[in-house]
Amino acid sequence: SQQGEEDPQALSIQEGENATMNCSYKTSINNLQWYRQNSGRGLVHLILIRSNEREKHSGRLRVTLDTSKKSSSLLITASRAADTASYFCATDAYPGNTPLVFGKGTRLSVIA
Amino acid sequence: GAVVSQHPSWVICKSGTSVKIECRSLDFQATTMFWYRQFPKQSLMLMATSNEGSKATYEQGVEKDKFLINHASLTLSTLTVTSAHPEDSSFYICSTGDLYSNQPQHFGDGTRLSIL
């Protein structure tokens, strides 16, 4: 499976600032999802955006999707120290039970 | 509550040991489960697709004789790392989804395998 790219690979910001992470992928998709992973832990599902959607919000999270550029962004507003984690985008090609292709991830550090 | 249960969460064992990891779907019948591997500071890579009642499908570069997958029931898939060596040390995580639902997949909490 071909992985997507995420940038930046690492991001360090002060508490209260906004954090923006970008993801690019290579093939046509059905859904794009963002996950968070704390160090040494499992994945936490954050948000799913479908290929026919352009923007989605959930609390302090805002996700955009540009299928023409095969890219997505995740914005975390008013960041907190607890947001420190790795963030991954993941795509799937069909609805239902198909494997996800993960991006390389962005390691976010929020400094209190 | 958890929809997918994965055990054990952490294993430390000697080189040459075989280790079995279980992944159970709790709320629905999982005809397909996925096994991923994650090396430190890297992303998740699909290892294999586990199909209930049939052979697993392995990704290129994954040794099927090294990583044995059994999906004998609709709620349980197991991954056995045979004769594990230090290079097999990694984070292994399973996932599954409801075939008839276009909802996010459910992930287990993962198994951290450390081979001494």
Side-chain angles (χ1 to χ4, degrees), chain A residues 16-59:
Chain A
E17 294 180 337
N18 296 340
T20 299
M21 290 161 268
N22 302 296
C23 163
S24 62
Y25 55 91
K26 299 179 181 179
T27 61
S28 297
I29 64 168
N30 184 59
N31 300 314
L32 185 143
Q33 303 175 61
W34 284 91
Y35 288 86
R36 184 183 74 218
Q37 184 182 37
N38 287 21
S39 180
R41 306 295 293 274
L43 296 174
V44 175
H45 182 263
L46 296 177
I47 199 163
L48 179 151
I49 186 166
R50 305 193 191 284
S51 60
N52 61 354
E53 296 176 312
R54 291 296 168 258
E55 188 171 311
K56 208 160 185 180
H57 298 255
S58 177

Side-chain angles (χ1 to χ4, degrees), chain B residues 33-103:
Chain B
M33 290 187 178
F34 306 105
W35 288 95
Y36 299 84
R37 179 170 56 184
Q38 184 182 31
F39 290 110
K41 297 187 178 181
Q42 294 188 26
S43 186
L44 283 77
M45 292 293 290
L46 180 68
M47 295 176 66
T49 299
S50 170
N51 303 298
E52 187 271 334
S54 64
K55 291 182 179 180
T57 304
Y58 290 83
E59 295 298 298
Q60 192 173 10
V62 178
E63 301 174 57
K64 62 180 181 180
D65 295 329
K66 173 79 172 178
F67 299 98
L68 301 179
I69 291 174
N70 184 284
H71 195 155
S73 77
L74 286 170
T75 58
L76 175 63
S77 174
T78 61
L79 168 67
T80 301
V81 184
T82 61
S83 188
H85 292 285
E87 58 266 29
D88 298 322
S89 297
S90 187
F91 188 67
Y92 295 86
I93 191 165
C94 65
S95 78
T96 189
D98 187 339
L99 180 63
Y100 301 105
S101 169
N102 192 15
Q103 296 300 314

